[in-house]
Structure formats: C-alpha cells, structure tokens
Amino acid sequence: MSAKVLFGFHAVTVRLKTAPQSIHEIYVDAGRRDQRMRQFVARAQEAGARLVDSDDDRLHKLCGTHRHQGVVAKVEPVAQVKSLDDLLDSIEEPPLLLVLDGVTDPHNLGACLRVADGAGAHAVIAPKDHAVGINATVAKVASGAAETMPYFMVTNLARTLKELQERNIWVIGTSDDAPKTLYQVELKGPVALVLGAEGAGMRQLTRKTCDELVSLPMRGAVESLNVSVASGICLYEALRQRA
C-alpha cells in the first residue's frame, strides 16, 4: 500500500494515539515553537516518530494546502473493517448508521465523520458515484475521525439500504416535507439515518427505499441546514434516546 498524507494537529495526533507504527515521518514547521507545537513534538518523540524540520513551502507541497498548522505526516493506510457486513456482524448493540446521499464536498464529509464519531455511530455509508472519498482535506476537517470512523462507499445505495432493512435496521430519511419531525420517531433500536446533499436532498430512489421520512423543525427564514449540522442533530437525538 502506498503512503498517504495526513495534516493538522488533530488528524496526526489521533494517528499517533491509534497506530504510531504506521507513521513514516512527520514534517513540522521549524519556525513554529509555541506551546501547542512543543506539546505535539514531545508526544511524537515519545511515540518514536521520525520528525523532519520543514518550512511552509515544503509543507504546502506535501499536503496541497496552507491550512496544515505546521504539521504534515506521511503514513501507511490503516486497515479498516473490510466490509459493512463484517462490521454489522461484530456489533453487539443496536446499530446506529449515518447514510449520506450526494455529499460531494470534502469539508462537509469531514464534519459528518467528526460528528458521527462524537455521537458513537458505528459507520458512515455513501454511494461511490455521488460522494467524495477520504482525502487529506476530509481527514483534516474530521479532526481524526477519518481514522476511527468506518466509511463505506457502496456501488448501489438503494440495494444497500434494502440489505440493511433485511437485517431489521429501520431506515429513516430526512426531508423538508415529511409529516413527522425527528423528535416524533423511535431511535433506540437499529437505525440508519439518511441525509441528502444540502439543497438537492436525497435522490428519488433513495427516498422511496426509506421506511420512514422525518423533518427537522425550521423556525427561521432559512429553508435547510448544512448536512453536517443536520447529521449532528439527528445522531445526537438518537444518542439522547439511547442514553
């Protein structure tokens, strides 16, 4: 497997915690020596990582952005659970899944992975042909969650949703025109929450495949929320009900 790039304090620190042996080397901005950088360098040295002093130009070339915070790492990809079926077979509690239909912006995906990790979701699922994959920007925005949250890109989303239904997982889609709100449905059992891209929403076939549709109450002038914000509201309502 070829090396990949992680950047930013959160993403690289999570890798140091979870799989330090997978890190080839960490490039740090030699001109940055504030407390946060000193703490990071100490943690990296403690983990046995190889540190390379660099400047902003080199860091930018490595990760393709100036938003690297002075930290870029070359790492081996960490082996994830191989399939959604394997993951579901291993879960001993009611599954909580986030399904994203048509989310192509890496910043949105990163934020969705972060909130899914925070709420204790078991996986995020997306279609291969209407989604963004995990890249350096996603990993940066996810603040480490791209390393810990299983992300499955499936060939046929509607078929995957039907397979979830065969496992008795209730598939709940979000739609502005749904008769029920999120707060009127039971989320304690096995649930897959389906959200579409901001504005366009779910595709028609995805919508038809859902067992139930819910809306988020909107009291102001805006008609919809960013998909990562909506994901957070839905997942944390499920977490609240399960607590």
Side-chain angles (χ1 to χ4, degrees):
M1 290 188 291
S2 59
K4 61 181 266 189
V5 171
L6 297 176
F7 62 91
F9 283 109
H10 282 296
V12 180
T13 298
V14 167
R15 179 58 73 95
L16 280 168
K17 287 180 182 176
T18 58
Q21 72 285 351
S22 70
I23 298 174
H24 291 309
E25 50 201 2
I26 302 173
Y27 299 81
V28 295
D29 186 344
R32 178 169 178 174
R33 285 295 178 261
D34 55 88
Q35 184 179 4
R36 189 177 192 188
M37 180 62 83
R38 290 198 305 271
Q39 290 175 340
F40 173 82
V41 167
R43 173 174 283 169
Q45 289 173 332
E46 189 178 327
R50 179 173 181 261
L51 292 167
V52 180
D53 280 344
S54 302
D55 57 24
D56 182 70
D57 284 345
R58 187 176 186 188
L59 296 172
H60 175 252
K61 287 176 183 175
L62 283 166
C63 67
T65 176
H66 286 291
R67 300 178 65 185
H68 47 65
Q69 300 178 310
V71 177
V72 178
K74 284 186 177 179
V75 302
E76 283 294 321
V78 175
Q80 300 281 1
V81 179
K82 289 184 178 176
S83 73
L84 180 58
D85 282 331
D86 288 344
L87 177 76
L88 293 172
D89 288 341
S90 70
I91 295 173
E92 296 181 358
E93 58 190 339
L96 175 60
L97 307 172
L98 176 64
V99 181
L100 302 174
D101 186 22
V103 175
T104 56
D105 181 270
H107 294 88
N108 277 339
L109 175 59
C112 287
L113 291 172
R114 185 175 184 177
V115 77
D117 182 272
H122 295 101
V124 177
I125 302 167
K128 284 181 180 175
D129 58 343
H130 287 81
V132 62
I134 302 291
N135 58 30
T137 300
V138 172
K140 168 70 169 60
V141 176
S143 295
E147 298 289 299
T148 57
M149 176 54 53
Y151 180 57
F152 297 102
M153 299 185 77
V154 299
T155 304
N156 186 317
L157 184 61
R159 185 169 63 219
T160 297
L161 293 179
K162 288 175 182 175
E163 290 168 356
L164 295 179
Q165 291 165 331
E166 289 169 4
R167 285 179 172 266
N168 295 316
I169 296 173
W170 195 247
V171 177
I172 300 176
T174 54
S175 175
D176 296 341
D177 59 2
K180 284 185 181 179
T181 73
L182 172 72
Y183 306 109
Q184 294 173 305
V185 295
E186 171 77 50
L187 300 173
K188 292 179 183 177
V191 166
L193 294 161
V194 188
L195 288 91
E198 188 177 349
M202 294 179 292
R203 289 175 293 170
Q204 198 60 35
L205 183 56
T206 306
R207 181 187 173 103
K208 287 180 180 177
T209 309
C210 292
D211 293 303
E212 190 169 13
L213 296 175
V214 300
S215 62
L216 296 181
M218 301 295 290
R219 296 290 182 261
V222 299
E223 295 181 358
S224 65
L225 297 174
N226 177 277
V227 65
S228 63
V229 174
S231 295
I233 292 168
C234 293
L235 288 169
Y236 273 88
E237 172 59 15
L239 180 61
R240 185 194 68 80
Q241 290 190 21
R242 292 163 181 236

